[in-house]
Amino acid sequence: MNLYEAIIVSDELFDLQIGYVKFSNPIALAPMAGVTNSEFANNYAKNAGLAVIGGYNLDGETNIAAKTLVGKGRDEFITDTPLEFLENEAKAINIGGAVAFNVRSTTLEPLLKAAEIIKNAGGILELDAHCRQDEMISIGVGEALMTDIPRLAEWISKIKETGVVLSVKVRANVVDDIALARTIENAGADILHLDAMKEGAGADLSAILRIRDSTRLFLIGNNSILDFDDAKEMFSRGADMVSVSRGVLQDPYLIDHLVEEVSLLQEQIGWYNSPKHVCRGEGDLRGLAFCCLPVKPCAVHNKAGQLGYSPKEFANIKMEFAKGTPLEFGDSTCFGSLVWCCKISKPCYLRDGVLDLLDLSAADYMKLKKDLATYILDNAKKPVNEF
């Protein structure tokens, strides 16, 4: 399959939708102040499932702060007519995927006006709770929102009343990540865009995992993605989508390559962001779909317990799902049913023999496992955003 073919079939491969927004694939362009505008997205993110452009300053104070930053050599978008500028950007962008507008304001009113413009354009509003520049934090925007939880929750709630699909961009390891994620979810946001930043090089993959295990929000992972191996590490910790920023400046075709690779993976295994096994210590709660029957002490007890399941209840919920599906079969497997079998990437002649007998492809098997994971989470006695 060549790049063109991979991009053409991606619409059929992925079932990713939030409200009125559908994503053709799970690769996104991340916002970079003063860089990622409509022109940049048109040039570098034509095939992305999502392009997040901005950040755009929506009021006088943020524009003044941006001017100060420009004076210090930092790129910023500055305008005396921010809402008109935003409308023009919405009209100018021309990509195959969805569009989000990363915005910041010291007051709520410009955000509400921007939400109406963005909703009418079929886009996503992304609230910037991420910028760490002192000039922005000092006026109460960017990271300042992460440390003012009541204001952040109120703004999310008010913005959602407009009906816009809402993303919130945050940075890991600044405040309590789990408390922050739950606040954002409970306030009504649709998407959490997480910069998994840590001290030193590379992304904090454990932050992705922690948040996946504490929220059902659509999760976009960001930071240090330079190739598909980096993307897979985030996907396997629970990211629904990954976003790239400075990597595009190094490789203008990075997004195209990532779209091709993830499309190939989805075609082959049917669950592009399938989790690692729980027993490896790196699997999120979705990995319970691959766990063995809990007949001896192991990691499955702790993970199932997080959802309020006793070992017996966990066994029952998996068998309940399996009834009437191909996962019900597999007398020759270790525990007598495919429902207890592991991820397709782990070699197993017993499992594969049953799949051959049932004429069940690896992709169809993994799609069933994905549905099983959702079923386990949906029927939990203790939902992930409460324990």
Side-chain angles (χ1 to χ4, degrees):
M1 180 184 294
N2 61 35
L3 176 60
Y4 177 75
E5 291 171 333
I7 292 169
I8 289 299
V9 301
S10 64
D11 275 334
E12 302 173 4
L13 280 176
F14 302 97
D15 181 20
L16 297 170
Q17 185 165 353
I18 301 174
Y20 53 79
V21 179
K22 184 173 183 179
F23 306 109
S24 57
N25 62 70
I27 305 300
L29 172 69
M32 292 180 283
V35 178
T36 50
N37 58 5
S38 58
E39 182 180 3
F40 188 93
N42 290 343
N43 288 332
Y44 298 102
K46 204 79 172 174
N47 296 308
L50 171 67
V52 188
I53 58 176
Y56 298 115
N57 304 296
L58 296 184
D59 66 347
E61 286 195 70
T62 52
N63 272 290
I64 290 170
K67 289 177 183 177
T68 302
L69 289 169
V70 169
K72 294 181 177 180
R74 181 179 170 83
D75 293 325
E76 285 287 343
F77 296 117
I78 300 170
T79 174
D80 294 327
T81 56
L83 294 178
E84 181 181 339
F85 183 74
L86 195 68
E87 278 193 286
N88 289 336
E89 283 289 84
K91 293 174 183 176
I93 194 163
N94 181 28
I95 66 169
V99 182
F101 301 82
N102 181 280
V103 293
R104 54 200 182 202
S105 171
T106 58
T107 59
L108 180 59
E109 185 178 357
L111 293 168
L112 298 179
K113 291 179 179 178
E116 293 290 352
I117 293 170
I118 292 167
K119 181 184 68 173
N120 291 337
I124 298 166
L125 186 150
E126 181 167 277
L127 180 61
D128 180 357
H130 172 266
C131 180
R132 58 176 173 166
Q133 301 303 312
D134 289 338
E135 289 78 1
M136 292 294 174
I137 294 174
S138 66
I139 59 174
V141 301
E143 270 190 14
L145 282 171
M146 286 196 289
T147 58
D148 189 351
I149 293 296
R151 182 163 63 104
L152 176 60
E154 179 188 6
W155 282 18
I156 290 171
S157 178
K158 293 293 186 183
I159 292 169
K160 277 303 298 177
E161 287 178 5
T162 68
V164 74
V165 173
L166 176 62
S167 171
V168 182
K169 177 80 183 288
V170 300
R171 194 184 301 272
N173 300 310
V174 176
V175 297
D176 183 327
D177 292 336
I178 293 176
L180 177 67
R182 288 176 178 167
T183 294
I184 290 169
E185 180 174 25
N186 292 334
D190 303 289
I191 302 168
L192 180 63
H193 192 171
L194 179 71
D195 179 350
M197 192 186 78
K198 66 176 181 179
E199 290 187 17
D204 184 356
L205 297 175
S206 66
I208 301 286
L209 180 60
R210 287 195 305 273
I211 289 178
R212 177 72 295 150
D213 271 359
S214 58
T215 178
R216 300 293 294 277
L217 280 168
F218 190 90
L219 179 59
I220 304 177
N222 167 259
N223 195 293
S224 304
I225 296 176
L226 300 177
D227 56 35
F228 192 57
D229 286 338
D230 296 330
K232 283 196 295 184
E233 289 300 314
M234 281 199 180
F235 283 140
S236 66
R237 267 72 172 192
D240 297 294
M241 179 177 278
V242 298
S243 68
V244 297
S245 51
R246 305 209 177 274
V248 177
L249 300 177
Q250 299 174 33
D251 176 7
Y253 299 102
L254 176 60
I255 286 176
D256 294 339
H257 295 318
L258 293 176
V259 170
E260 180 181 24
E261 292 286 352
V262 76
S263 297
L264 287 170
L265 181 65
Q266 179 71 353
E267 187 175 64
Q268 291 165 359
I269 73 165
W271 190 1
Y272 69 94
N273 68 333
S274 55
K276 293 179 180 292
H277 288 98
V278 165
C279 53
R280 289 187 58 184
E282 299 174 319
D284 60 81
L285 287 164
R286 300 171 306 141
L288 288 168
F290 302 123
C291 284
C292 302
L293 191 68
V295 294
K296 61 182 180 179
C298 65
V300 65
H301 290 266
N302 177 53
K303 283 290 188 183
Q306 288 181 41
L307 295 174
Y309 290 119
S310 68
K312 184 177 180 180
E313 288 169 334
F314 174 65
N316 288 342
I317 202 73
K318 290 190 75 169
M319 291 307 298
E320 181 180 291
F321 175 87
K323 288 179 182 177
T325 78
L327 296 184
E328 188 175 14
F329 300 96
D331 289 344
S332 60
T333 61
C334 296
F335 293 101
S337 168
L338 286 172
V339 79
W340 303 110
C341 289
C342 56
K343 192 173 175 178
I344 199 69
S345 57
K346 185 175 180 180
C348 178
Y349 72 91
L350 295 176
R351 177 202 63 213
D352 292 346
V354 176
L355 295 182
D356 287 342
L357 188 64
L358 295 174
D359 195 24
L360 188 67
S361 70
D364 286 338
Y365 168 75
M366 289 291 283
K367 287 174 184 175
L368 283 167
K369 286 290 189 176
K370 181 182 178 182
D371 290 342
L372 171 58
T374 300
Y375 189 77
I376 292 169
L377 291 170
D378 284 347
N379 289 278
K381 292 185 173 182
K382 193 184 291 186
V384 295
N385 62 351
E386 292 182 8
F387 66 80

